[in-house]
Amino acid sequence: RRDVLVLTPWLAPIVWEGTFSRDILDAQYVQKNLVTGVVTFAVEKYVPFIEGFMRSADKYFLAGHPVNFYLFTDNPEKVSHLQMAPENHLFVIPVQNHSGWQDISTSRMEIVSTYIHSRFQHEVDYLYSMDINVQLLAHIGVEIIDALVATISSWQFTPHPEDKASEPRPESQAAIPEGEWDFYYTASFYGGSVSEVYKLTRACSEGLMEDRENGIEARWQDESHLNKYLLHHKPTRLLSPEYYWDAEL
C-alpha cells in the first residue's frame, strides 16, 4: 500500500489490511505449535458486554489457532456457558470489586503482571490485552504476532492529536515532554510475547503505584503509562487503527 505509512522510523512494520498474506503467515504459525492468550476485564457495568465480546472473539480472533481467553470479572456467576471453538478455552477469574472504572484501569496492569508471573507464562506463548466493550467485526489473524505489539490510537488521525494524548505534567511517572512522542497507542489492544508483556505491565504498574503514592493520576490512567513505556521500549510491530477504531470519534 502506498496510501499509508507501513514502516516506523525504527523499522518496525505497521500492519494495515492489504499489507500481508494471511495464508502464508498461518502456515508458518501452525508449524510452531504456539498458544496465544487474551486477557480482558468485565467489572460492574461492563459485565453485560461479556457475551458479545466472547462470541465475536471466539469467531474472529486467530480463528483456527488455539487461544486461551482469560476473563477477569467481579461477577463470575453471571458468565453464561458459552460454546467455544474446540481449539479455544475460556477461563473465568474472579477479581475484586472496585468503586469505579478508574480503579480497575489503574489496577489491571498489576493484575496482569501478577498472573503472568504465577500462571500465564506456563500456559501461553503470546498474550494480548483487549477491552471487553467491543465486538470484533472481521478476522484478526497471526499478522499481529510479534515480540512487542502496540495499536496506534485512532486519536492520531484526528485534528491536533497532541492536545488529547500525552500526559503533560512532569511530576507524573507517565509524563512525556511536548514533541517527544512519535505515535500514540491505545491501551485497549496491546500484547506480544509473554516475557515482553510482563516487562511492560510490571513497569506500568510500578509507575501507576508511584503516581498513586504521590497523589497523582495520569491523564489517561494506564494508557498514559503504556505510552511512556513504549516511548522508550519501541514496539517491534504496530497495528493500524483499523484493528481498534474508536467509533465515538
Side-chain angles (χ1 to χ4, degrees), residues 40-43 45-54 56 71 101 108 130-136 186-188 244-248:
T40 191
F41 287 78
V43 175
K45 66 179 182 180
Y46 291 95
V47 170
F49 291 104
I50 292 174
E51 185 169 355
F53 173 83
M54 286 306 311
S56 65
L71 170 63
W101 68 265
R108 59 183 177 179
M130 299 186 74
D131 280 356
I132 193 79
N133 59 334
V134 296
Q135 290 192 34
L136 280 64
T186 176
S188 298
Y244 206 100
W245 188 263
D246 188 345
E248 296 181 1

Side-chain angles (χ1 to χ4, degrees), residues 5-47:
L5 183 67
V6 296
L7 204 63
T8 70
W10 60 93
L11 304 182
I14 304 175
V15 182
W16 297 81
E17 189 64 38
T19 62
F20 58 89
S21 169
R22 185 166 284 131
D23 289 342
I24 293 175
L25 295 175
D26 276 342
Q28 295 172 343
Y29 186 84
V30 166
Q31 294 175 4
K32 298 177 182 178
N33 295 316
L34 300 172
V35 179
T36 299
V38 173
V39 170
T40 191
F41 287 78
V43 175
E44 294 185 340
K45 66 179 182 180
Y46 291 95
V47 170

Side-chain angles (χ1 to χ4, degrees), residues 4 6 25-27 33 45 69 73 89 103 106 111 114 127 140 157-158 163 173 212 237 239:
V4 293
V6 296
L25 295 175
D26 276 342
N33 295 316
K45 66 179 182 180
F69 292 96
T73 180
H89 296 89
D103 295 319
T106 57
I111 294 170
T114 298
L127 187 67
I140 295 178
F157 292 83
T158 61
D163 295 338
Q173 295 300 305
R212 190 178 304 140
R237 181 173 300 245
L239 305 181

